[in-house]
Amino acid sequence: MPGELRWTDDHCHLPDDGSVDEVLAAARAAGVERLVHVGTDLASSRAAVALATAHDGVWATAGVHPHEARHGVDGIEELLSDPSCVAVGECGFDFHYDHSPRDAQRDVFAAQIALAHAHDKALVIHTREAWAETFEVLDAEGVPARTVFHCFTGGADEADECLARGAFLSFSGIVTFPSAHDVRAAAARCPLDRMLVETDSPYLAPVPKRGRTNEPGWVPLVGAGLADASGHDLAVVAEATWRNAERCYRLA
């Protein structure tokens, strides 16, 4: 399977410890030809843009994770003009940890939706234990034409709500977990033209790599889990998610 199909990891956090070349080489050997390296605050967004600029097949996002919302969005907009920066985010709500006040999470999420509209960028959403609030802010601010629910953790009902708003669902290694019945039900509900695959590395390693540090080269394992859950052939899922990533992020 590795190397026979082409894949895009549409959401990963690449290492900053000097091992990035090794990680990228392993990904390419596994057929993962394109990666989107995601920013979570101003510093990591700047680093993501710099790394993407320096490596073929890597693109960046610039955004403020809900954990960092208390710091605001100053400096993010200036990164959006870089050709390697293809999206705003990840942004949204995280009510599981509440590392930032909820009113700050709401304000910073709304501000980043506005940036996605103003700069015609994709929007990458992180939502945890805050579905109602996420949909409320999206509806109030207007859903960007290219919106991604990254590391989708909802079930069929949440999938329907996202799909009704024209969004893409990005499935992580969770879709390979036998106990993730809701996520697998959502995958079965997701049309081929709305599904994406990601690692969210270094987190959430897929089966059979659970417990290890995740890496972009394991996207084919996520794809296999998505194919199993959705009832599609693996090659069909690989090609669909490749095309969807190209369309969503406008990858050249």
Side-chain angles (χ1 to χ4, degrees):
M1 177 180 66
E4 297 177 2
L5 303 173
R6 57 181 184 174
W7 297 94
T8 302
D9 185 351
D10 88 295
H11 192 111
C12 62
H13 305 277
L14 292 170
D16 59 2
D17 61 1
S19 65
V20 68
D21 288 338
E22 179 181 346
V23 168
L24 292 176
R28 292 186 179 112
V32 185
E33 299 179 16
R34 304 187 305 203
L35 304 89
V36 180
H37 178 30
V38 175
T40 56
D41 58 13
L42 181 57
S44 64
S45 296
R46 285 175 173 159
V49 169
L51 190 149
T53 300
H55 292 83
D56 291 340
V58 180
W59 288 265
T61 78
V64 178
H65 190 286
H67 288 348
E68 308 299 328
R70 64 194 180 279
H71 301 303
V73 296
D74 288 352
I76 294 296
E77 186 167 18
E78 67 190 46
L79 299 174
L80 301 179
S81 60
D82 192 288
S84 69
C85 185
V86 294
V88 178
E90 60 185 284
C91 58
F93 289 107
D94 194 310
F95 289 175
H96 182 77
Y97 288 108
D98 275 331
H99 287 330
S100 286
R102 293 187 178 185
D103 58 348
Q105 293 186 46
R106 177 180 294 269
D107 290 346
V108 166
F109 183 29
Q112 290 178 92
I113 295 171
L115 287 175
H117 283 301
H119 294 269
D120 192 23
K121 298 287 186 181
L123 180 75
V124 178
I125 294 176
H126 171 111
T127 183
R128 189 167 185 187
E129 299 178 17
W131 285 105
E133 293 80 3
T134 299
F135 293 138
E136 178 187 345
V137 174
L138 270 175
D139 292 344
E141 301 297 325
V143 184
R146 296 173 291 122
T147 292
V148 179
F149 281 84
H150 118 81
C151 191
F152 185 83
T153 55
D157 290 345
E158 290 80 13
D160 286 346
E161 291 285 352
C162 296
L163 294 168
R165 290 166 172 82
F168 293 87
L169 306 184
S170 183
F171 292 93
S172 70
I174 293 173
V175 78
T176 71
F177 300 176
S179 61
H181 303 298
D182 284 354
V183 173
R184 293 175 63 81
R189 197 80 143 229
C190 185
L192 275 170
D193 66 352
R194 302 283 194 88
M195 57 177 62
L196 296 166
V197 284
E198 65 172 86
T199 57
D200 198 19
S201 62
Y203 316 107
L204 298 172
V207 173
K209 307 289 189 178
R210 289 191 71 177
R212 297 173 60 181
T213 299
N214 202 0
E215 57 184 74
W218 294 345
V219 156
L221 297 173
V222 179
L226 179 56
D228 180 68
S230 63
H232 296 293
D233 183 79
L234 179 62
V236 171
V237 169
E239 186 62 17
T241 56
W242 176 275
R243 295 296 183 191
N244 294 340
E246 191 168 79
R247 178 163 52 98
C248 176
Y249 296 103
R250 294 178 177 166
L251 304 182

